[in-house]
Amino acid sequence: MSDADTDPAATGAELGWRLSTAVVLFHEAVGQRLGLRALDHRALGLIEREGPLTAGALAELTGLTPGAVTGLVDRLSRLGYVRRVPDPADRRRVLVSADTEARPDLADAFTGLSRAMGDLVAKYDDTELAAITDYVTNTIDILYAQTRRLGAPGPTGRTTPHGEGTGAD
Amino acid sequence: MSDADTDPAATGAELGWRLSTAVVLFHEAVGQRLGLRALDHRALGLIEREGPLTAGALAELTGLTPGAVTGLVDRLSRLGYVRRVPDPADRRRVLVSADTEARPDLADAFTGLSRAMGDLVAKYDDTELAAITDYVTNTIDILYAQTRRLGAPGPTGRTTPHGEGTGAD
DNA sequence: CATTTTAGTTTAGTGAACTAAAATAAGCAG
DNA sequence: CTGCTTATTTTAGTTCACTAAACTAAAATG
């Protein structure tokens, strides 16, 4: 493509598409490195962001049944990424908390990334940085808006990826 | 946020993290909407980008065995996203090509996204746009570099997500 | 203190996607 | 034209994550 056809929309979309591909591939690579499935990876992120969660809360947030959450937490804790901590206030409850110490791979991966991103950002002056920040912030908003739009109607109607019970028994 | 706490590294990493989350969630939403698994979604993207691919090429690119590719293409074509076309030059070969017509959902999703992104990009003047483009381009490079780094060593040693043969028989 | 409710785990069974290897079909070489 | 190679599909068997439902344990209630 020459400069002749630099249509803003096309440029924006093309750049966004390539960025999106890069992000997804990176996430997949992180997941594979960690031995995690997409859902497990996402659940781990959830646990990290939302602080210690009870198994029930995790079930609600992921849309899984309690039994599936047990399996999920089993996998995650077997790999050492999370830890089951009994809730001192209510001993029926199990708090699932991220075990940050035990994730050298993940920490390493994200350290390298965040340092590279920091170096990159340092190159720009305030005006440029403002534009970049504005762009990224708006892109995030757009993505969330589009995600909501996609999630809303649901013509296929399946929120679960697979293995829905047939209820045939 | 005030200017007081704008540490470049922190800003870059934080912004990048949020962007990455947004991208991944969007991709997941698209995949769910389409009834596609992560790998299927990725394979579809591959077919779209790389033009018609033979089943064998797809196997190499995805790292799957030929048999698994047959299943993959079955799923994708059953949903109408791709089409099997016999290679006129070599009739053993099967070309798998994306069936763009048959994807109103996907087209709609990406049309909305690309229009929104186009509108966003149109806001900026040339200087700002140059900074943004530079930032995004470099971010993509960084992500690919980090992805390569993650993929290279592989302490867990598993390139396949699961179901590796035990070779016990 | 007995009963009900709540939280999570365990068990049984299902469906999906994968691997390995055999089968089918088409091109190519002697 | 016969045999060998290549490309994909088919078949058999495995593994994994999920659901549903039974179960265990702890808290709340009367």
Side-chain angles (χ1 to χ4, degrees):
Chain A
M1 306 178 186
S2 61
D3 308 37
D5 57 54
T6 42
D7 171 27
T11 304
E14 168 63 18
L15 212 54
W17 164 250
R18 288 200 287 132
L19 177 60
S20 146
T21 302
V23 168
V24 170
L25 287 176
F26 175 71
H27 258 252
E28 274 182 29
V30 170
Q32 273 193 0
R33 174 64 117 79
L34 268 49
L36 295 178
R37 280 312 190 36
L39 180 66
D40 291 22
H41 191 191
R42 186 176 148 194
L44 180 56
L46 221 52
I47 294 164
E48 283 168 349
R49 278 200 305 281
E50 310 290 329
L53 291 169
T54 64
L58 207 50
E60 271 196 52
L61 288 169
T62 55
L64 296 174
T65 54
V69 170
T70 299
L72 171 71
V73 176
D74 281 351
R75 289 193 296 278
L76 253 36
S77 73
R78 192 181 317 128
L79 291 166
Y81 298 123
V82 302
R83 195 172 295 201
R84 275 192 176 89
V85 180
D87 187 336
D90 184 341
R91 285 190 318 213
R92 290 170 304 179
R93 285 206 172 93
V94 170
L95 292 173
V96 182
S97 67
D99 192 351
T100 321
E101 309 286 325
R103 287 164 23 242
D105 290 346
L106 186 59
D108 184 59
F110 283 123
T111 299
L113 180 63
S114 78
R115 185 157 67 204
M117 290 302 289
D119 288 352
L120 175 60
V121 167
K123 288 194 342 182
Y124 305 105
D125 61 38
D126 282 358
T127 314
E128 292 171 325
L129 213 54
I132 290 167
T133 304
D134 187 75
Y135 170 80
V136 174
T137 306
N138 278 290
T139 298
I140 291 169
D141 288 346
I142 290 169
L143 283 170
Y144 274 113
Q146 293 293 326
T147 302
R148 253 191 308 279
R149 172 168 304 185
L150 283 174
T156 46
R158 49 203 321 173
T159 44
T160 51
H162 77 275
E164 74 248 72
T166 53
D169 69 322
Chain B
M1 304 232 186
S2 65
D3 309 37
D5 55 57
T6 43
D7 172 24
T11 305
E14 168 62 18
L15 213 55
W17 164 250
R18 287 200 287 133
L19 177 60
S20 148
T21 302
V23 168
V24 169
L25 287 175
F26 175 71
H27 260 251
E28 272 181 30
V30 171
Q32 272 192 2
R33 174 64 116 83
L34 268 50
L36 294 178
R37 204 59 112 271
L39 180 65
D40 291 22
H41 191 190
R42 186 176 148 195
L44 180 56
L46 221 52
I47 294 163
E48 283 168 349
R49 279 200 306 282
E50 309 290 329
L53 290 170
T54 63
L58 206 49
E60 271 195 52
L61 288 169
T62 56
L64 296 174
T65 54
V69 169
T70 298
L72 171 72
V73 176
D74 282 351
R75 290 192 296 276
L76 253 37
S77 72
R78 191 181 318 128
L79 291 167
Y81 298 124
V82 302
R83 194 173 296 202
R84 277 194 175 88
V85 180
D87 187 335
D90 184 341
R91 285 188 319 210
R92 293 169 304 179
R93 286 203 172 94
V94 170
L95 292 172
V96 182
S97 68
D99 192 350
T100 321
E101 310 287 324
R103 288 165 21 242
D105 290 345
L106 186 59
D108 184 59
F110 282 123
T111 298
L113 180 63
S114 79
R115 185 158 66 203
M117 290 302 289
D119 289 352
L120 175 60
V121 166
K123 288 193 342 184
Y124 304 106
D125 61 37
D126 283 359
T127 314
E128 292 171 325
L129 212 55
I132 290 167
T133 305
D134 186 75
Y135 170 80
V136 174
T137 306
N138 277 290
T139 298
I140 292 169
D141 288 346
I142 288 169
L143 283 170
Y144 274 113
Q146 294 291 327
T147 302
R148 254 192 306 281
R149 173 169 303 183
L150 283 174
T156 46
R158 49 205 320 175
T159 44
T160 52
H162 77 276
E164 73 244 78
T166 53
D169 72 320

